[in-house]
Amino acid sequence: MRGHALAMILTLGSHDLFLDIFDAAPVLDLHPGEVLIHAGTKADQVFNILNGMVMAHRTGSDGRRQILSFLVRNNFVGLTSTDDYFFTVEAVVETRVAICSRSALMERLNNDPAAERTYLNMLHRVLEDAYDLVYSLGQRTAIERLAVFLLYLRYWHRICENIVDDQDAHLNRVTLPMKREDIADFLGLKKETVSRGFRQLEERALIHRDEHSHVSILNLPALRELAGIRDFASPRHLSANLQP
Amino acid sequence: MRGHALAMILTLGSHDLFLDIFDAAPVLDLHPGEVLIHAGTKADQVFNILNGMVMAHRTGSDGRRQILSFLVRNNFVGLTSTDDYFFTVEAVVETRVAICSRSALMERLNNDPAAERTYLNMLHRVLEDAYDLVYSLGQRTAIERLAVFLLYLRYWHRICENIVDDQDAHLNRVTLPMKREDIADFLGLKKETVSRGFRQLEERALIHRDEHSHVSILNLPALRELAGIRDFASPRHLSANLQP
DNA sequence: CGTAGACTTGACGCATGTCAAAGTGCGTGG
DNA sequence: CCACGCACTTTGACATGCGTCAAGTCTACG
């Protein structure tokens, strides 16, 4: 298994069982801000992120926007229980995705019980991750949400690069490819609060802001303490995702 | 189809395809506050709520608690992607549940492709409902969350009683069997804020507080307007759930 | 370089949290 | 049957974390 299930929104960490659907599939290149999926349109395609990053969000008619997930390599997006997408997906950076028809995926799942079971299991994990976000939004303070978010990015990076050692030094330099406002809309905050939160984390010597789009984690244990025990490097996630 | 999918947390609206698993199953009666599932214990059973109400929640070591869902008749709870439950489930009122072993359910799903596809589809809807909660917690104000919550209860009631007419007068008397603090922990608020929110809804003549555990909806369109277009009676949910 | 978009910072305001007390309903035992 | 007591709810006064508004600064890119 090469993927992971941290990504949300009907999004699965791909598994070898699914990857082959996209092996010879057409690809699409997206520029930052380009929209892959428009909420409300017919949900007849599914996508696999090959590289880059996209974000799925729901935006109300009054302009309020909630980002539901950031998706990276080997994440899977597009399936819904209904005929239409209920979320929008747009590129955060230069991104390449593979395209597959929804019917082809469904056929694969229907004809391959092992694939369907794998899909089911991953969907469970995606749901559990959605509840992680619910807990953050409902119970954690701004700075705690930021701590969780940084650990979340660090974990993604670890999975994508297949780095086994949790203490690997590379992991402590975290890339933030999205805008501050995107982080804010993901964490239920405003962009100014995100800025101030990072500053406070720096004042407490938990992180160092190298550039706008990079931070270094200086004190991982303290950051985890702040985020609460539910670190994304918890055994629950690792055991399910790091099998070779 | 008799169930629905509004309930969350690995919880499904039951479908006839699943109900039969519980037909001859042993039952368990719970008093208010009694715990059905302890977070962290082996997840070897699944449950079907026969009547009453339970709530699933995640509670941190510091005492913060996020209620993930309230579950009513024909809801289904207990499946996780891992070996252990990661949430606690306790009774809100006198409740009766049917018990089935996890392995029996898995066997059923593995041997019956139609059942498995139905399960999959429901899981998708549960996930979409979890994202509804994410949107509320991240973007809506306290009073908006309360409006959504009341419409949510009204919708449950409608589905449980299989009332087709959205305007049916019975629906406008909503029962609140849980404590104010439970509502607060579901909506990411404090119990005092919930009280004040109800008072404000009453001052605006949107509802009337009959007793502690009942409110009447006086102005449904205005309540829906306040909650935003994402009313739980939206066509998306109804079409998927109200087939006879 | 120069401009535009993104980020940071500061001053201030408000929604919600906190703390405390009074009110309400309900079960229990005298 | 009444009255006491306990748990829950409501309300009030006050505190504060985060949002809002408005400058300013940085950075990327032409």
Side-chain angles (χ1 to χ4, degrees), chain A residues 8-9 58 64-66 81 86 110 116-117 119-120 124-125 128 131-132 139 144 230, chain B residues 8-9 58 64-66 81 86 110 116-117 119-120 124-125 128 131-132 139 144 230:
Chain A
M8 309 170 196
I9 191 80
R58 249 170 66 174
R64 282 182 282 186
R65 182 181 69 154
Q66 176 66 43
S81 66
F86 65 96
N110 288 339
E116 188 165 40
R117 232 168 302 132
Y119 182 86
L120 200 77
H124 274 128
R125 274 185 276 140
E128 290 170 24
Y131 285 126
D132 279 346
Q139 301 302 323
E144 287 169 350
R230 322 214 91 275
Chain B
M8 307 169 194
I9 189 86
R58 248 171 67 174
R64 282 181 283 186
R65 183 181 69 153
Q66 177 65 44
S81 67
F86 65 95
N110 288 339
E116 188 166 40
R117 234 169 301 132
Y119 182 85
L120 200 77
H124 274 127
R125 275 185 274 138
E128 291 170 23
Y131 285 127
D132 279 347
Q139 300 302 322
E144 287 169 350
R230 322 214 91 275

Side-chain angles (χ1 to χ4, degrees), chain A residues 132-150 183-184 186-190 193-194 196-198 200-201 204 206 222-228, chain B residues 62 64-66 137-138 145 188-190:
Chain A
D132 279 346
L133 183 57
V134 166
Y135 185 88
S136 277
L137 296 179
Q139 301 302 323
R140 291 200 242 249
T141 64
I143 200 163
E144 287 169 350
R145 293 179 211 182
L146 280 174
V148 170
F149 183 67
L150 289 175
I183 299 175
F186 180 61
L187 299 178
L189 304 169
K190 294 295 163 184
T193 307
V194 171
R196 285 189 248 270
F198 281 140
Q200 208 183 326
L201 287 173
R204 294 199 206 175
L206 300 189
L223 201 63
R224 286 182 165 159
E225 173 68 21
L226 183 60
Chain B
D62 57 2
R64 282 181 283 186
R65 183 181 69 153
Q66 177 65 44
L137 296 178
R145 292 180 211 181
L189 304 170
K190 295 293 164 184

Side-chain angles (χ1 to χ4, degrees), chain A residues 177-233:
Chain A
M178 69 294 290
K179 301 181 203 169
R180 293 290 183 272
E181 188 159 17
D182 298 332
I183 299 175
D185 285 348
F186 180 61
L187 299 178
L189 304 169
K190 294 295 163 184
K191 57 184 187 302
E192 296 90 338
T193 307
V194 171
S195 265
R196 285 189 248 270
F198 281 140
R199 176 159 59 95
Q200 208 183 326
L201 287 173
E202 192 165 39
E203 282 168 4
R204 294 199 206 175
L206 300 189
I207 66 168
H208 179 259
R209 285 181 289 181
D210 305 315
E211 316 149 44
H212 278 158
S213 61
H214 292 83
V215 305
S216 295
I217 296 175
L218 300 180
N219 188 341
L220 183 59
L223 201 63
R224 286 182 165 159
E225 173 68 21
L226 183 60
I229 44 175
R230 322 214 91 275
D231 186 352
F232 289 99

Side-chain angles (χ1 to χ4, degrees), chain A residues 42-98:
Chain A
K42 268 260 171 295
D44 47 12
Q45 292 181 314
V46 297
F47 305 91
N48 190 37
I49 315 297
L50 298 178
N51 57 55
M53 178 182 279
V54 301
M55 58 187 180
H57 60 87
R58 249 170 66 174
T59 302
S61 48
D62 57 2
R64 282 182 282 186
R65 182 181 69 154
Q66 176 66 43
I67 291 177
L68 301 171
S69 64
F70 293 102
L71 310 175
V72 292
R73 181 158 67 87
N74 279 336
N75 284 162
F76 192 100
V77 65
L79 254 189
T80 75
S81 66
T82 54
D83 286 339
D84 300 320
Y85 300 116
F86 65 96
F87 51 86
T88 296
V89 176
E90 66 178 273
V92 174
V93 297
E94 293 292 334
T95 301
R96 171 167 286 182
V97 302

Side-chain angles (χ1 to χ4, degrees), chain B residues 9-25:
Chain B
I9 189 86
L10 308 176
T11 303
L12 311 171
S14 315
H15 183 283
D16 290 337
L17 277 167
F18 297 110
L19 278 182
D20 58 7
I21 294 184
F22 292 99
D23 275 352

